[in-house]
Short mmCIF file of all heavy atoms in Angstrom, two decimals:
data_model
loop_
_atom_site.label_atom_id
_atom_site.label_comp_id
_atom_site.label_asym_id
_atom_site.label_seq_id
_atom_site.Cartn_x
_atom_site.Cartn_y
_atom_site.Cartn_z
N GLN G 41 16.36 13.27 -29.45
CA GLN G 41 17.72 12.71 -29.52
C GLN G 41 17.82 11.19 -29.48
O GLN G 41 18.91 10.66 -29.37
CB GLN G 41 18.60 13.27 -28.38
CG GLN G 41 18.92 14.74 -28.53
CD GLN G 41 20.08 15.10 -27.61
OE1 GLN G 41 19.94 15.05 -26.40
NE2 GLN G 41 21.21 15.42 -28.20
N TYR G 42 16.71 10.48 -29.53
CA TYR G 42 16.79 9.01 -29.56
C TYR G 42 16.09 8.50 -30.82
O TYR G 42 14.95 8.87 -31.10
CB TYR G 42 16.12 8.39 -28.32
CG TYR G 42 16.90 8.67 -27.06
CD1 TYR G 42 16.64 9.81 -26.31
CD2 TYR G 42 17.90 7.80 -26.63
CE1 TYR G 42 17.36 10.08 -25.16
CE2 TYR G 42 18.64 8.06 -25.48
CZ TYR G 42 18.36 9.21 -24.75
OH TYR G 42 19.08 9.47 -23.61
N GLN G 43 16.77 7.68 -31.57
CA GLN G 43 16.20 7.14 -32.81
C GLN G 43 16.73 5.72 -32.99
O GLN G 43 17.94 5.50 -32.93
CB GLN G 43 16.59 8.02 -34.00
CG GLN G 43 16.21 7.46 -35.36
CD GLN G 43 14.74 7.70 -35.73
OE1 GLN G 43 14.27 8.82 -35.69
NE2 GLN G 43 14.02 6.64 -36.09
N GLY G 44 15.82 4.78 -33.18
CA GLY G 44 16.22 3.43 -33.55
C GLY G 44 15.65 3.12 -34.92
O GLY G 44 14.91 3.92 -35.48
N VAL G 45 16.01 1.96 -35.45
CA VAL G 45 15.42 1.55 -36.73
C VAL G 45 14.97 0.09 -36.61
O VAL G 45 15.80 -0.83 -36.59
CB VAL G 45 16.42 1.68 -37.90
CG1 VAL G 45 15.73 1.32 -39.22
CG2 VAL G 45 16.99 3.09 -37.97
N PRO G 46 13.66 -0.14 -36.48
CA PRO G 46 13.19 -1.53 -36.37
C PRO G 46 13.29 -2.23 -37.73
O PRO G 46 13.31 -1.58 -38.77
CB PRO G 46 11.73 -1.36 -35.96
CG PRO G 46 11.32 -0.04 -36.53
CD PRO G 46 12.55 0.84 -36.46
N ASP G 47 13.36 -3.56 -37.67
CA ASP G 47 13.32 -4.34 -38.91
C ASP G 47 11.90 -4.38 -39.48
O ASP G 47 11.72 -4.41 -40.69
CB ASP G 47 13.81 -5.76 -38.65
CG ASP G 47 15.25 -5.76 -38.16
OD1 ASP G 47 16.08 -5.14 -38.83
OD2 ASP G 47 15.51 -6.36 -37.10
N ALA G 48 10.93 -4.38 -38.58
CA ALA G 48 9.53 -4.44 -39.03
C ALA G 48 8.64 -3.82 -37.96
O ALA G 48 8.95 -3.86 -36.77
CB ALA G 48 9.12 -5.89 -39.26
N VAL G 49 7.53 -3.26 -38.43
CA VAL G 49 6.49 -2.74 -37.53
C VAL G 49 5.28 -3.64 -37.70
O VAL G 49 4.82 -3.86 -38.82
CB VAL G 49 6.14 -1.28 -37.88
CG1 VAL G 49 5.03 -0.77 -36.96
CG2 VAL G 49 7.38 -0.40 -37.84
N VAL G 50 4.80 -4.20 -36.60
CA VAL G 50 3.70 -5.16 -36.66
C VAL G 50 2.53 -4.62 -35.86
O VAL G 50 2.71 -4.16 -34.72
CB VAL G 50 4.15 -6.52 -36.07
CG1 VAL G 50 3.01 -7.53 -36.06
CG2 VAL G 50 5.34 -7.07 -36.86
N LEU G 51 1.33 -4.69 -36.45
CA LEU G 51 0.13 -4.19 -35.77
C LEU G 51 -0.86 -5.32 -35.57
O LEU G 51 -1.69 -5.58 -36.44
CB LEU G 51 -0.49 -3.04 -36.58
CG LEU G 51 0.40 -1.79 -36.69
CD1 LEU G 51 1.05 -1.69 -38.07
CD2 LEU G 51 -0.38 -0.54 -36.34
N PRO G 52 -0.79 -6.02 -34.45
CA PRO G 52 -1.65 -7.17 -34.20
C PRO G 52 -3.07 -6.72 -33.83
O PRO G 52 -3.28 -5.57 -33.48
CB PRO G 52 -0.98 -7.85 -33.01
CG PRO G 52 -0.38 -6.72 -32.25
CD PRO G 52 0.06 -5.71 -33.29
N GLU G 53 -4.00 -7.66 -33.88
CA GLU G 53 -5.37 -7.31 -33.48
C GLU G 53 -5.91 -8.18 -32.36
O GLU G 53 -7.07 -8.03 -31.97
CB GLU G 53 -6.32 -7.35 -34.69
CG GLU G 53 -6.50 -8.74 -35.27
CD GLU G 53 -7.62 -8.79 -36.32
OE1 GLU G 53 -8.17 -7.73 -36.69
OE2 GLU G 53 -7.95 -9.90 -36.76
N SER G 54 -5.12 -9.11 -31.85
CA SER G 54 -5.61 -9.99 -30.79
C SER G 54 -4.44 -10.49 -29.93
O SER G 54 -3.28 -10.45 -30.35
CB SER G 54 -6.32 -11.20 -31.39
OG SER G 54 -5.38 -12.03 -32.05
N ALA G 55 -4.78 -10.96 -28.75
CA ALA G 55 -3.77 -11.55 -27.86
C ALA G 55 -3.11 -12.76 -28.53
O ALA G 55 -1.91 -12.98 -28.37
CB ALA G 55 -4.41 -11.97 -26.53
N GLU G 56 -3.90 -13.52 -29.29
CA GLU G 56 -3.37 -14.71 -29.95
C GLU G 56 -2.30 -14.30 -30.98
O GLU G 56 -1.28 -14.97 -31.12
CB GLU G 56 -4.49 -15.50 -30.63
CG GLU G 56 -5.44 -16.18 -29.65
CD GLU G 56 -6.29 -15.22 -28.80
OE1 GLU G 56 -6.60 -14.11 -29.28
OE2 GLU G 56 -6.59 -15.58 -27.64
N GLN G 57 -2.57 -13.22 -31.70
CA GLN G 57 -1.57 -12.75 -32.67
C GLN G 57 -0.31 -12.27 -31.94
O GLN G 57 0.80 -12.53 -32.37
CB GLN G 57 -2.15 -11.62 -33.53
CG GLN G 57 -3.20 -12.11 -34.53
CD GLN G 57 -3.63 -11.02 -35.50
OE1 GLN G 57 -3.20 -9.87 -35.39
NE2 GLN G 57 -4.47 -11.38 -36.45
N VAL G 58 -0.51 -11.56 -30.83
CA VAL G 58 0.65 -11.11 -30.05
C VAL G 58 1.47 -12.32 -29.61
O VAL G 58 2.70 -12.33 -29.71
CB VAL G 58 0.20 -10.27 -28.83
CG1 VAL G 58 1.37 -10.01 -27.90
CG2 VAL G 58 -0.44 -8.96 -29.28
#
Side-chain angles (χ1 to χ4, degrees):
Chain G
Q41 292 196 293
Y42 291 89
Q43 172 81 53
V45 184
D47 299 308
V49 179
V50 177
L51 295 104
E53 65 171 7
S54 68
E56 290 67 30
Q57 289 188 356
V58 170

